[in-house]
Amino acid sequence: MTPGLLFTQNGSAVNRNEIPEHSGERFLETLVSAIQGGWRVVSYFGAPEAHLVRLYCILSFKSHAALGIMSTAVSGKSFPSLVAEAPQLHLFEREIAEQFGISFEGHPWLKPVRFAAPLASTSAVPPRAPEKVGVMDFYRVAGDEVHEVAVGPVHAGIIEPGHFRFQCFGEEVLHLEISLGYQHRGVERMVLGRPGLRTLKCMETVAGDTTIGHGTAYAMAMEALCGVRVPAKAEAIRGIALELERLANHTGDLGAIAGDVGYLPTASFCGRIRGDFLNMSAELCGSRFGRGLVTPGGVQFDVGRELAEKLRKRIDVARREVTNAVDLLWDSPSVMGRLEGTGVVSEKDALDLGLVGPAARASGLNRDIRRDHPFGIYNVAQLPVETAKGGDVYARTLVRWLEIEKSLHFIEEQLAQLPGGSIASPAAQVGGDQMALSLVEGWRGEVCHVALTDGRGELERYKITDPSFHNWSGLAMALRGGQISDFPLCNKSFNLSYCGFDL
Amino acid sequence: MFKAIIARCKQGHRTMAYPREPLSLPERFRGYPELKGGLCPDECRICADACPVGALSCQPELSLDLGKCLFCPECANACPHGAISHTADAMLAANNREDLVIRPGDEHRLAQALEAKMLSLFGRSLKFRSVVAGGCNACEADTNVLSTIGWDIGRFGIQFVASPRHADGLWVTGPVTEHMREALLMTYEAIPAPKIVVACGACAIGGGPFRGSPEAHDGVEGILPVDLFIPGCPPHPVTILDGLLRLLDRMP
């Protein structure tokens, strides 16, 4: 284990004064040696303090289910960049630079991330106006036959806004640069102060398709701050809802992947079956996206024997239908021909970039928060982690399918053995001067929430890291050397969140 | 090929009968609220205090703004007098912003059909260009659902198209972030007149959970003229479809 870190566990809170404060040099040394020793950066962010910025780094070491925290104070205008040693930090450093005006020396290209106004200004860095969204220097490839394709922010379908620049040589993509920020609503700034119902609603809508994922991560952070224990039944219901969310999104995406290769049967069937899973979430709590289900302390809706039985029957039907629909893919050589070898992200690139979720597992990385840092129901009920080798669209499709099978089984098991008792613990006082840390394996991957409270128990800084934050670079990498016409297909296989990134 | 045909037989015909037959919604679905102001004691503000987005007002009497409402269970859970409950009625869309503010005893004001000239233009074929102006992607997801086989919105002549030049209307979701304001206006400009605007979801109507954020504009109000407001966070697909069919005078 690495010295210099405060060790903690998923879903727990620590006193802020226990977090090791290092000099800048020691902080960087510790970070580098931790990464070399197999630790992975979960979150790296700044928080304003009087006249300075405090940087916090949260690391994960999966085989011990350990999380490590350390901090350093930056009082000047700049701080050394570690991107050359640890590419997984590149966006985190850009984000800190944008939010606090700190320049990272040695960073290859400190561009804006969300084109947002600074979170805080310190004495070393005067306040500045935000830059105009999407206006920046893009990486360009020069050459007679090289051309540039610019797409967005408004796209052809009903999807979120982003801007994509392809540097192409004929059909071949030499480089893709993705510029986001259009969905920036200022969530992290909005939730500061005393946490309340509004905070919960903002968390549920960080990324609408990950309502349960983000809602649970927020609830876990609050429970850690309050020292509240969640009843067993509530943990089981949360698990069921989280897996239903995974099922709906994976099924929808498998349909969308089929649609993008022009294979309409699976596209049509999965588009409908996705709705069946959403309707099961609505049976739980009235909302197809799980709104209002998770609350700090537990859940707001109980699942009785009758509802459990009804859901089990519907899961059974959905399993038969989704299996029937997806099996067509594996049996169609023309579909396989389009998926195999398309949009490859090598294991090394996935590791270097710090990918998470199904995208990482499809590149052979064996990481899953449900097993590595178990939380809630996953402490007692394990789900097998599915990985694949190829790192291509096929591997990402396959991993999604294998996860669908496991989630269906998990939900059936949980519905059959729902514990009794209450579904929520009473609210309690939020602890002051604490840092709470929670990780949830959402359907897209690792959702990380970090809450820092001041002496009165009010949120002083709230840092959300959506899996998309780790994975957008993976999509850009998948396009390298590929065909520009494969972009929609690669994009669907990742299906990343714009709003979860833009925050 | 044969496998695909067998699968097609197994999966069956799935397009729903709505609007000819009603749609069955889950028991816990929260639709059009029922307000019983007579049950409210004087000076009681429990529901208004419980509402995370200020959709409820107790002065001078109980009222609820469907445009702001997130249809979360908080107010009904908080009210000890049973003055607020949600019915399973998913028909929520309206033409005017003020029609979304409901008071006890009010009649349910639903969206009305477009005027005759617009109806003759759009009644049989209405194409929308969608702009996601912030938001969380849930409204977009449930708008996309309408094009799946279960809903098959194409059977009503309604379609979402790739270019504003091909569109008759603008479909807005999200609270209109500052960063999307220009793109939204440019897309609107690019749609040939006459055109209509639909604000889909609590964010587009009034900012939703992000109301008051300095980075967003609390919805399209004051930015574009809106012809149809579809409340919900996100609206259920049937709420969206119902609003559109009423606008096009296509309800049986």
Side-chain angles (χ1 to χ4, degrees):
Chain A
M1 297 293 258
T2 306
L5 293 169
L6 172 68
F7 301 116
T8 181
Q9 280 187 325
N10 188 10
S12 51
V14 296
N15 287 326
R16 284 175 74 170
N17 58 19
E18 287 173 18
I19 299 170
E21 298 181 11
H22 298 311
S23 66
E25 208 173 311
R26 173 94 198 283
F27 179 84
L28 295 167
E29 277 170 15
T30 310
L31 189 45
V32 171
S33 73
I35 290 171
Q36 284 167 352
W39 289 74
R40 189 170 65 77
V41 177
V42 168
S43 196
Y44 181 28
F45 62 95
E49 250 176 47
H51 309 300
L52 54 82
V53 176
R54 182 162 294 283
L55 299 182
Y56 291 94
C57 190
I58 317 284
L59 293 135
S60 138
F61 195 74
K62 73 171 187 184
S63 51
H64 294 70
L67 295 168
I69 314 171
M70 62 174 172
S71 82
T72 187
V74 181
S75 53
K77 285 181 185 166
S78 68
F79 194 67
S81 166
L82 280 185
V83 170
E85 289 88 350
Q88 57 182 303
L89 291 172
H90 83 110
L91 251 179
F92 287 111
E93 290 187 354
R94 277 171 61 184
E95 186 187 39
I96 296 166
E98 178 171 39
Q99 288 181 335
F100 299 98
I102 297 169
S103 172
F104 280 86
E105 286 163 43
H107 191 289
W109 214 349
L110 274 179
K111 300 181 187 196
V113 176
R114 306 186 178 96
F115 302 86
L119 260 187
S121 48
T122 56
S123 50
V125 188
R128 58 162 181 87
E131 280 152 84
K132 196 167 156 50
V133 67
V135 178
M136 62 176 189
D137 286 336
F138 287 86
Y139 183 83
R140 296 190 78 157
V141 181
D144 278 350
E145 290 177 49
V146 174
H147 63 106
E148 185 179 83
V149 179
V151 185
V154 178
H155 305 293
I158 309 176
I159 65 165
E160 297 177 83
H163 183 75
F164 299 79
R165 288 273 177 115
F166 299 86
Q167 308 295 321
C168 295
F169 179 73
E171 273 281 288
E172 187 187 343
V173 178
L174 301 172
H175 180 73
L176 160 63
E177 187 165 348
I178 302 168
S179 175
L180 302 173
Y182 297 89
Q183 297 268 71
H184 177 62
R185 301 147 291 173
V187 178
E188 286 182 358
R189 199 194 303 259
M190 274 193 81
V191 298
L192 299 183
R194 188 155 295 282
L197 276 173
R198 178 79 176 268
T199 327
L200 177 63
K201 299 302 159 198
C202 284
M203 294 302 168
E204 286 186 334
T205 44
V206 163
D209 50 25
T210 316
T211 297
I212 300 292
H214 278 287
T216 306
Y218 167 71
M220 281 167 59
M222 286 303 119
E223 286 146 13
L225 289 173
C226 301
V228 163
R229 275 189 78 86
V230 179
K233 188 167 197 188
E235 294 285 24
I237 296 172
R238 281 183 185 182
I240 292 167
L242 191 67
E243 296 308 323
L244 275 176
E245 191 168 86
R246 188 180 319 275
L247 284 169
N249 286 297
H250 280 359
T251 304
D253 285 346
L254 291 182
I257 288 168
D260 270 350
V261 301
Y263 191 69
L264 298 185
T266 306
S268 304
F269 303 149
C270 284
R272 180 190 67 77
I273 300 164
R274 168 181 175 274
D276 287 349
F277 289 122
L278 292 178
N279 289 337
M280 287 184 222
S281 295
E283 290 288 347
L284 286 180
C285 66
S287 158
R288 283 156 57 89
F289 293 85
R291 301 282 158 85
L293 177 65
V294 179
T295 184
V299 291
Q300 298 219 52
F301 294 91
D302 202 353
V303 178
R305 188 175 296 174
E306 207 176 308
L307 179 57
E309 195 47 42
K310 189 174 172 186
L311 286 173
R312 276 179 70 184
K313 282 187 186 142
R314 286 174 67 166
I315 284 282
D316 196 41
V317 174
R319 167 189 285 119
R320 266 183 277 132
E321 291 181 346
V322 74
T323 308
N324 176 257
V326 175
D327 274 351
L328 292 175
L329 287 183
W330 320 128
D331 288 339
S332 303
S334 57
V335 171
M336 286 299 107
R338 286 284 281 116
L339 303 188
E340 282 170 352
T342 305
V344 176
V345 180
S346 71
E347 185 170 348
K348 182 177 185 305
D349 284 347
L351 191 68
D352 285 348
L353 291 170
L355 299 196
V356 296
R361 295 193 279 276
S363 288
L365 300 186
N366 196 330
R367 51 177 66 154
D368 188 320
I369 298 300
R370 290 172 294 177
R371 182 203 55 201
D372 302 340
H373 299 281
F375 56 96
I377 185 72
Y378 304 102
N379 279 309
V380 289
Q382 257 86 49
L383 268 138
V385 179
E386 299 295 347
T387 60
K389 278 280 168 228
D392 52 1
V393 175
Y394 168 71
R396 286 187 284 277
T397 310
L398 181 66
V399 166
R400 303 279 200 102
W401 168 246
L402 296 171
E403 291 188 17
I404 286 177
E405 286 185 311
K406 303 298 172 294
S407 295
L408 285 165
H409 181 69
F410 176 88
I411 293 175
E412 276 187 331
E413 227 175 47
Q414 293 308 317
L415 285 171
Q417 53 180 33
L418 271 181
S422 72
I423 53 163
S425 301
Q429 195 72 29
V430 174
D433 288 320
Q434 306 265 304
M435 176 193 265
L437 193 58
S438 59
L439 292 170
V440 166
E441 185 75 20
W443 67 273
R444 228 181 236 120
E446 171 185 305
V447 171
C448 172
H449 284 217
V450 185
L452 282 169
T453 57
D454 63 10
R456 291 168 299 170
E458 295 194 359
L459 293 175
E460 196 170 80
R461 176 83 170 100
Y462 199 90
K463 181 74 210 125
I464 302 164
T465 314
D466 187 82
S468 308
F469 192 83
H470 299 276
N471 284 3
W472 274 110
S473 317
L475 174 60
M477 212 48 142
L479 257 287
R480 284 222 172 151
Q483 305 272 296
I484 190 168
S485 46
D486 282 335
F487 174 70
L489 180 58
C490 293
N491 192 25
K492 291 290 175 3
S493 70
F494 279 85
N495 193 5
L496 300 174
S497 174
Y498 299 68
C499 54
F501 178 93
D502 290 346
L503 294 174
Chain B
M1 184 67 198
F2 289 115
K3 280 181 182 160
I5 294 169
I6 295 167
R8 171 68 182 79
C9 296
K10 277 190 185 162
Q11 300 272 344
H13 171 80
R14 296 297 190 137
T15 305
M16 66 186 58
Y18 189 85
R20 273 185 291 112
E21 288 170 23
L23 184 76
S24 86
L25 288 162
E27 209 174 297
R28 288 171 177 172
F29 176 77
R30 292 179 293 280
Y32 192 78
E34 188 176 15
L35 305 181
K36 294 179 187 148
L39 298 175
C40 297
D42 289 346
E43 307 290 318
C44 175
R45 287 189 42 89
I46 294 174
C47 62
D49 292 341
C51 180
V53 286
L56 273 158
S57 169
C58 298
Q59 293 299 331
E61 55 169 343
L62 188 62
S63 71
L64 199 163
D65 186 346
L66 291 180
K68 290 182 188 168
C69 183
L70 304 181
F71 294 85
C72 66
E74 312 300 345
C75 58
N77 284 353
C79 177
H81 314 293
I84 302 173
S85 57
H86 289 273
T87 66
D89 181 0
M91 313 317 162
L92 304 169
N95 302 106
N96 301 306
R97 182 66 184 86
E98 53 271 27
D99 285 350
L100 296 178
V101 181
I102 58 169
R103 294 179 183 80
D106 269 5
E107 61 166 322
H108 189 164
R109 284 158 297 186
L110 288 162
Q112 301 295 308
L114 288 166
E115 56 174 282
K117 180 160 180 286
M118 294 287 266
L119 210 52
S120 73
L121 282 171
F122 301 142
R124 285 163 180 271
S125 164
L126 178 61
K127 314 283 173 186
F128 284 107
R129 173 60 260 188
S130 141
V131 172
V132 181
C136 74
N137 204 30
C139 288
E140 294 77 41
D142 264 356
T143 305
N144 265 321
V145 159
L146 295 174
S147 302
T148 63
I149 50 170
W151 299 81
D152 190 19
I153 200 173
R155 66 196 153 121
F156 304 105
I158 306 168
Q159 195 189 342
F160 290 88
V161 293
S163 163
R165 303 284 185 204
H166 302 157
D168 307 307
L170 182 65
W171 191 270
V172 188
T173 48
V176 189
T177 53
E178 173 53 26
H179 289 172
M180 273 308 284
R181 190 184 141 88
E182 191 185 346
L184 177 72
L185 291 174
M186 284 172 75
T187 309
Y188 178 72
E189 288 303 321
I191 299 175
K195 50 194 160 189
I196 61 173
V197 175
V198 176
C200 176
C203 280
I205 298 172
F210 310 108
R211 191 175 176 80
S213 166
E215 325 271 348
H217 291 278
D218 295 349
V220 286
E221 203 169 2
I223 297 177
L224 292 171
V226 177
D227 299 275
L228 185 69
F229 296 92
I230 306 176
C233 185
H236 192 279
V238 78
T239 307
I240 303 178
L241 180 58
D242 174 76
L244 284 172
L245 295 180
R246 285 176 199 280
L247 195 71
L248 298 180
D249 205 14
R250 295 288 291 270
M251 290 302 283

